[in-house]
Amino acid sequence: MKRRILTLVLAFALVSSLFSALPALAEEYDSVEFGKTYTGHIPRENATNRYTIVLPQPGRLTISTTILGLSDGTEAPFTTHWYNSAGEVIWTGFRVFAPFSETMDLEPGTYYYENERTVGSNKYGSFNIVFDYIAAATDRTYVHNMRANAPSLYSDLAFTGFLSYQSDTDLYKIELSQAGKLTVNLDYEPVLGLKHLTRLDVYGSTEEHIVRLGGSSHYPSPPFTDSVDLEAGTYYIRALRDTFSSFSGGETGTYIIRATFPSSQNPPSSWAADAVTSAAELGLIPYALRSGYPTPITRADFCALAVKVIEDIQGEKIAERVTFADTADINVEKAAAMGVVSGVGNNRFDPNGKLTREQAAVMLAALAKAVGKPLPEKTATFADNEKISSWAAVQVGQIQAAGIMGGVGNNTFAPKDPYTREQSIITIMKLYNALIL
């Protein structure tokens, strides 16, 4: 009896050690560069190789290990651990033979990876390890698995979603302006596409389940299209990933969802339609701005357009940030870091404030400067020049001379008038075309 108790205690101690939190000192971990080869060593005595990985946005992390030379032995040499930034184990690989690769789709953040000689292994020697990362081409900017943060789907506009190891559910909101048919298409995204879901369901505004989409299959595989007749009102679509089929907890990755339904969303005006279509095809319009085109644009939404242009032209994500007390919008922080925007005082940005025409001119001129192509200085020639604020006079002249912004009729600029989403997209497209020449 005593022997059995001792065996259980030792087994519990072993499991506890394997799943214990990472060491408290983050400096014990080597920060990695993606694509670079690192050489590690498994000595005769127990030792652990530790690495820090920072993912700037949602994406797929692959860790590949190859052997340079190991002593003879019969046991698998490696046990691996993945930790999140809180030090919690998110995955452990037992008795892993090299060469091997481990892949996981993850949210942005800091992660830690360890490999060590498996307890009881008699192999030791050197190995190479490479960390590769592919960013997910997704329209989402945050995990949306609750009704309170569910993004709206706009009729006939595709949204690229992402289901990760940490988040197995996506929730979307749709508004039917009148009774009619809801048609949902789920398509495969070719780069990091998931292979199948567990479920795709439609729920009502009071959380009642209405219908399961994708047929009777337990694991509906994209591409597929399904539809249901609904009354006018608010509904939610829930995408739930399979959590059983792979070592990392199930099928993860990106997918494309498109819903078509009766909607009252505002399309672009006829004179703006071509520019809006071109900008959308280039990926320069964030999904959240692909409706309500004739409505005034906010300061934060204009930042989202500006950041899209800068990152497209520079070919990389903006890493720098400037923070404000009244917003945590990542596009505002990026645009401020690039000098495209500034605050309104007292460390405030006023993200929901409506953008005026003269403010738009200042931001457009600053955007050109941010990518290294400042516009020539010119004096504006509008009949209402005296109404332009002194802090915007130079920039209004710059964007007028460059043909980026014009007047509103009768040679007037109307500097204090609100600027709309479609006007913003048109001028962003004009500036983009001028900057890439």
Side-chain angles (χ1 to χ4, degrees):
M1 183 68 176
K2 289 182 178 179
R3 185 175 182 179
R4 179 177 294 180
I5 293 173
L6 178 60
T7 302
L8 289 173
V9 170
L10 290 174
F12 178 78
L14 174 60
V15 172
S16 297
S17 67
L18 289 174
F19 287 93
S20 61
L22 75 166
L25 297 177
E27 58 265 25
E28 293 185 20
Y29 289 75
D30 294 325
S31 296
V32 304
E33 297 178 24
F34 297 122
K36 181 178 178 180
T37 300
Y38 295 86
T39 300
H41 189 66
I42 303 175
R44 288 177 181 270
E45 66 276 9
N46 287 334
T48 302
N49 300 275
R50 299 183 172 116
Y51 307 90
T52 300
I53 307 142
V54 179
L55 302 189
Q57 64 185 80
R60 178 163 296 170
L61 177 65
T62 300
I63 304 176
S64 303
T65 304
T66 56
I67 294 299
L68 295 179
L70 281 181
S71 65
D72 292 335
T74 58
E75 294 293 331
F78 290 104
T79 294
T80 65
H81 308 282
W82 302 55
Y83 301 92
N84 61 19
S85 59
E88 301 164 333
V89 175
I90 58 175
W91 178 255
T92 293
F94 293 102
R95 297 185 178 276
V96 182
F97 287 91
F100 66 90
S101 292
E102 297 176 290
T103 297
M104 195 173 291
D105 292 324
L106 298 167
E107 300 297 327
T110 299
Y111 298 89
Y112 302 95
Y113 179 80
E114 295 180 348
N115 63 21
E116 59 188 2
R117 189 156 63 92
T118 299
V119 175
S121 172
N122 52 2
K123 288 191 175 186
Y124 56 89
S126 300
F127 62 90
N128 278 346
I129 187 167
V130 180
F131 299 81
D132 290 309
Y133 163 72
I134 302 175
T138 175
D139 288 312
R140 77 166 170 85
T141 56
Y142 54 86
V143 174
H144 49 89
N145 51 16
M146 299 182 295
R147 291 181 174 231
N149 65 5
S152 294
L153 288 180
Y154 302 117
S155 183
D156 206 33
L157 285 179
F159 185 100
T160 302
F162 179 74
L163 289 170
S164 68
Y165 177 77
Q166 298 108 314
S167 176
D168 59 10
T169 302
D170 280 347
L171 201 64
Y172 299 95
K173 181 180 181 180
I174 57 173
E175 300 275 359
L176 268 69
S177 59
Q178 62 187 57
K181 187 180 295 294
L182 167 66
T183 300
V184 178
N185 172 259
L186 193 75
D187 207 352
Y188 182 79
E189 195 279 321
V191 180
L192 300 183
L194 56 76
K195 295 179 181 178
H196 51 73
L197 296 169
T198 296
R199 301 188 62 141
L200 190 67
D201 296 276
V202 179
Y203 291 84
S205 59
T206 57
E207 301 189 12
E208 72 277 16
H209 181 260
I210 295 176
V211 68
R212 180 176 178 179
L213 302 173
S216 59
S217 170
H218 188 60
Y219 300 111
S221 300
F224 70 81
T225 300
D226 206 350
S227 60
V228 59
D229 291 320
L230 298 171
E231 297 297 322
T234 300
Y235 298 89
Y236 294 87
I237 298 176
R238 187 187 72 167
L240 179 65
R241 73 172 172 87
D242 166 28
T243 57
F244 303 104
S245 66
S246 73
F247 91 94
S248 61
E251 292 293 343
T252 56
T254 48
Y255 61 92
I256 301 171
I257 186 169
R258 183 192 298 268
T260 304
F261 52 91
S263 172
S264 59
Q265 67 193 56
N266 296 317
S269 303
S270 57
W271 49 267
D274 289 344
V276 168
T277 299
S278 297
E281 290 175 349
L282 289 170
L284 298 180
I285 308 178
Y287 182 85
L289 301 186
R290 296 187 181 186
S291 69
Y293 294 102
T295 60
I297 194 168
T298 66
R299 287 165 52 80
D301 286 345
F302 196 88
C303 288
L305 290 171
V307 166
K308 281 280 191 181
V309 169
I310 294 173
E311 293 184 339
D312 183 90
I313 291 175
Q314 294 186 337
E316 61 183 5
K317 298 294 181 181
I318 300 169
E320 297 80 11
R321 304 284 189 274
V322 170
T323 60
F324 296 94
D326 60 342
T327 181
D329 189 303
I330 190 172
N331 289 312
V332 171
E333 294 178 355
K334 287 181 177 183
M338 295 297 293
V340 174
V341 296
S342 57
V344 296
N346 297 321
N347 196 34
R348 295 176 58 256
F349 182 74
D350 188 22
N352 297 318
K354 300 300 187 289
L355 194 71
T356 65
R357 289 176 53 80
E358 63 182 2
Q359 288 174 341
V362 171
M363 292 183 186
L364 289 164
L367 193 163
K369 184 178 180 180
V371 297
K373 295 186 177 181
L375 301 175
E377 290 195 11
K378 299 285 185 179
T379 301
T381 60
F382 294 110
D384 57 349
N385 272 5
E386 75 282 356
K387 295 181 181 180
I388 301 171
S389 300
S390 58
W391 47 264
V394 172
Q395 292 89 337
V396 171
Q398 287 177 302
I399 58 94
Q400 181 193 21
I404 306 302
M405 285 181 72
V408 296
N410 298 319
N411 193 34
T412 58
F413 183 69
K416 306 300 189 292
D417 283 3
Y419 211 47
T420 66
R421 285 186 177 183
E422 58 191 4
Q423 288 172 335
S424 301
I425 292 169
I426 288 175
T427 50
I428 281 284
M429 275 299 296
K430 287 181 179 180
L431 182 60
Y432 176 81
N433 290 330
L435 295 176
I436 62 175
L437 292 178

